[in-house]
Amino acid sequence: MNTIDQPTRRGASAEETRRRIEDTAEALFRSMGYQKTAVADIARELGMSPANIYRFYASKSAINEAIASRMLTGVEADIWTIARGPGTPPERLRLLLRTLHQRHMALFFSERRLHDMVTAAMAEHWGVVEHFIHAIQTAIRHVVMDGIASGDFGGIDPETTAQSIKQATLAFMHPGLIAECMANIKSDTELAQDLEAMVDLILRALRP
């Protein structure tokens, strides 16, 4: 019996089939690495033909884009939970930046086989990454505006300030810069300590 199109023949919705393709591809990227995983490997795991995979995704790159978007959306949700959560604006800003750094470290480097996938996503799907960066800057601006309203922060322009905070902490968030720091200069502990010092500096600058 031909198993090529079984997922579709069993009445699976297009959304469900896409999810299964993404789940399987992500598992293979984690175990084999992004570069070593072919569409044929994904299809074999699912009992499909590569042609059936291409019905839903035009290329492996398109699958990568979907997975990267899903991963970054999870980080974005966590950051907004902090931005809108309890605590003073200075406490929330510190926790937001600390969490963002920790999530990047865990997501991109604790599972090193995903690093190639993330690097490829940044090179090939800048729209996904750009949306994520914009969301993070908007979350920072939200906290800054709360700080201005509460009197914790001085009379500053929230948009410009949020952009400056993002740029000041870029070395702690960008996977390529983190990798360079860890390879040539810092341990993960030292990098985390440097971030805390940077946040201290930012918070001092934001005071009235």
Side-chain angles (χ1 to χ4, degrees):
M1 177 177 165
N2 192 333
T3 62
I4 286 177
D5 293 323
Q6 280 188 1
T8 303
R9 289 175 181 173
R10 286 196 297 265
S13 68
E15 181 179 353
E16 180 185 351
T17 301
R18 288 190 184 94
R19 180 185 56 76
R20 292 182 63 230
I21 292 170
E22 292 171 19
D23 289 346
T24 301
E26 183 176 343
L28 289 173
F29 292 168
R30 291 176 187 273
S31 63
M32 296 173 56
Y34 174 71
Q35 300 296 347
K36 292 183 179 179
T37 301
V39 171
D41 298 318
I42 300 168
R44 185 170 53 251
E45 287 291 313
L46 288 166
M48 295 181 182
S49 68
N52 203 25
I53 299 288
Y54 289 127
R55 287 177 53 200
F56 297 93
Y57 293 97
S59 63
K60 187 179 81 169
S61 178
I63 299 172
N64 183 25
E65 180 179 13
I67 296 171
S69 178
R70 183 167 67 177
M71 294 167 65
L72 294 177
T73 297
V75 178
E76 180 183 333
D78 289 347
I79 294 306
W80 271 108
T81 297
I82 295 169
R84 296 180 174 128
T88 66
E91 290 169 344
R92 277 184 280 149
L93 183 59
R94 181 182 296 277
L95 181 58
L96 187 156
L97 296 172
R98 181 188 295 159
T99 301
L100 191 57
H101 172 68
Q102 291 170 345
R103 287 297 302 271
H104 276 73
M105 292 288 287
L107 188 63
F108 299 142
F109 297 103
S110 294
E111 300 187 70
R112 293 182 180 273
R113 291 186 184 275
L114 289 180
H115 182 258
D116 287 346
M117 189 203 81
V118 174
T119 301
M122 295 185 71
E124 299 169 7
H125 310 297
W126 179 246
V128 171
V129 179
E130 188 174 39
H131 171 82
F132 175 71
I133 293 172
H134 177 73
I136 296 306
Q137 184 171 319
T138 303
I140 293 172
R141 184 185 64 189
H142 177 88
V143 179
V144 169
M145 291 175 67
D146 280 356
I148 295 170
S150 67
D152 288 293
F153 301 153
I156 50 181
D157 177 68
E159 187 67 42
T160 302
T161 301
Q163 184 175 8
S164 296
I165 293 171
K166 180 199 70 180
Q167 290 299 115
T169 56
L170 187 62
F172 305 99
M173 313 303 175
H174 190 290
L177 296 177
I178 291 175
E180 185 175 341
C181 285
M182 292 182 66
N184 301 315
I185 305 171
K186 302 286 184 179
S187 68
D188 54 347
T189 301
E190 290 172 321
L191 201 59
Q193 291 171 344
D194 285 351
L195 173 62
E196 295 298 326
M198 175 60 75
V199 176
D200 287 341
L201 180 63
I202 290 169
L203 291 176
R204 286 198 296 272
L206 293 177
R207 290 172 188 163

